[in-house]
């Protein structure tokens, strides 16, 4: 079994070295699966979980991707866990670190070490509904449009520069699970896009902390919800 999963056999279009990605998970791993399925122009060097029971670990192993578990309970402090995690990521030579349902908050030192090469997906249209239970927050607020956001990670929780968002309508009779499922379909579309852009050197964070994206394409159509008959 290969220790690295080759997501594509080709180097990026510019002929530069193929980049390595380390993906951090805590659970189910459906975004991980979307990334692995996307045949991205880079390679997943490792999948790391903070929970041994994370279902995504088996998925990674089945694809021949190296896995590691770092249980925060084995570390004396948050800082010690973060340092061990950062060292494990660096040992895999990561050019990009992708948080895919990684549910531990990372400290400032960790975030600074990977500044500009640390992406997260959050299931809301940030800056609305950061933190826990974003779907419940959206339903409680009565918004008619909800969604998901890929952003560069900065020390402030869920507040980093936004790369891409997708929006879905909220239905009048939605419960949290129905809304989460509708958003998740869009997560699986936008996260591989954002990662692809980074791997193709089309996406970066500027020194001023702004998102720069080459060849952005035409603006998307508006989403209006609800649409009365
Ligand atoms: C996803 O909905 C992701 O956006 C969310 O956890 C879920 C993980 O699902 N992440 C956060 O809430 C981070 N704040 P997955 O394990 O099936 O990808």
């Amino acid at each position: 079994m290969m220790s690295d999963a080759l997501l594509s056999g080709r180097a990026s279009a510019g002929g530069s070295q193929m980049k390595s990605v380390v993906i951090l998970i805590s659970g189910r791993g459906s975004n991980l699966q979307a990334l692995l399925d996307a045949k991205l122009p880079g390679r997943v060097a490792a999948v790391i979980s903070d929970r041994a029971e994370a279902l995504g670990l088996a998925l990674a192993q089945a694809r021949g991707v190296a896995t590691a578990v770092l249980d925060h309970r084995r570390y004396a402090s948050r800082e010690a866990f973060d340092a061990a995690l950062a060292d494990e990521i660096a040992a895999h030579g990561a050019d990009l670190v992708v948080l895919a349902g990684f549910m531990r908050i990372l400290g400032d030192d960790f975030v600074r070490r990977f500044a500009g090469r640390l992406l997260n997906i959050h299931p809301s249209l940030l800056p609305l509904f950061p933190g826990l239970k974003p779907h419940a927050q959206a339903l409680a607020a009565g918004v008619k449009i909800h969604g998901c956001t890929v952003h560069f990670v900065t020390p402030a929780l869920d507040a980093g520069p936004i790369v891409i968002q997708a929006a879905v309508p909220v239905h009048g009779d939605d419960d949290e699970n129905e809304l989460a499922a509708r958003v998740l379909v869009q997560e699986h579309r936008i996260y591989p896009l954002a990662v692809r852009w980074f791997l193709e050197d089309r996406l970066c964070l500027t020194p001023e902390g702004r998102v720069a994206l080459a060849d952005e394409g035409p603006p998307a159509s508006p989403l209006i919800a609800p649409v009365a008959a």
Side-chain angles (χ1 to χ4, degrees):
M1 203 183 270
M2 292 185 301
S3 62
D4 289 350
L6 210 55
L7 295 184
S8 159
R10 292 186 305 115
S12 64
S16 54
Q17 193 77 28
M18 185 181 287
K19 289 186 166 61
S20 288
V21 183
V22 168
I23 302 178
L24 306 190
I25 62 167
S26 295
R28 181 176 53 184
S30 73
N31 275 290
L32 166 66
Q33 178 157 14
L35 291 162
L36 293 174
D37 286 347
K39 307 254 185 302
L40 296 166
R43 60 180 196 171
V44 176
V47 170
I48 303 173
S49 174
D50 60 329
R51 293 186 191 152
E53 65 276 17
L55 293 176
L57 287 169
L59 177 73
Q61 286 157 5
R63 302 290 186 95
V65 180
T67 59
V69 175
L70 271 78
D71 184 340
H72 68 93
R73 291 170 298 192
R74 291 173 178 268
Y75 296 87
S77 64
R78 180 178 291 276
E79 291 72 26
F81 170 79
D82 280 4
L85 180 61
D87 289 345
E88 177 73 28
I89 292 168
H92 290 284
D95 298 298
L96 175 66
V97 182
V98 172
L99 307 183
F102 187 71
M103 300 310 282
R104 277 194 73 74
I105 293 175
L106 295 162
D108 292 7
D109 287 347
F110 181 99
V111 171
R112 285 202 195 92
R113 181 162 168 183
F114 295 102
R117 51 196 183 104
L118 183 56
L119 289 174
N120 182 43
I121 190 158
H122 182 76
S124 78
L125 291 174
L126 292 172
L128 288 174
F129 317 134
L132 294 175
K133 292 196 156 287
H135 308 301
Q137 291 186 57
L139 290 172
V143 294
K144 304 300 182 197
I145 295 174
H146 183 46
C148 48
T149 303
V150 176
H151 65 94
F152 282 102
V153 178
T154 55
L157 180 68
D158 294 333
I162 292 171
V163 174
I164 183 171
Q165 296 182 301
V168 300
V170 181
H171 300 171
D173 57 354
D174 271 344
D175 65 20
E176 217 175 309
N177 291 335
E178 289 165 329
L179 186 53
R182 195 173 307 124
V183 171
L184 193 64
V185 172
Q186 301 308 316
E187 293 186 43
H188 298 163
R189 293 178 66 191
I190 66 170
Y191 217 0
L193 273 177
V195 171
R196 176 179 297 279
W197 293 336
F198 188 94
L199 295 175
E200 289 176 347
D201 287 329
R202 291 175 58 191
L203 168 68
C204 71
L205 194 60
T206 69
E208 297 76 36
R210 299 187 70 84
V211 169
L213 174 62
D215 308 322
E216 203 162 310
S221 310
L223 169 61
I224 297 172
V227 181

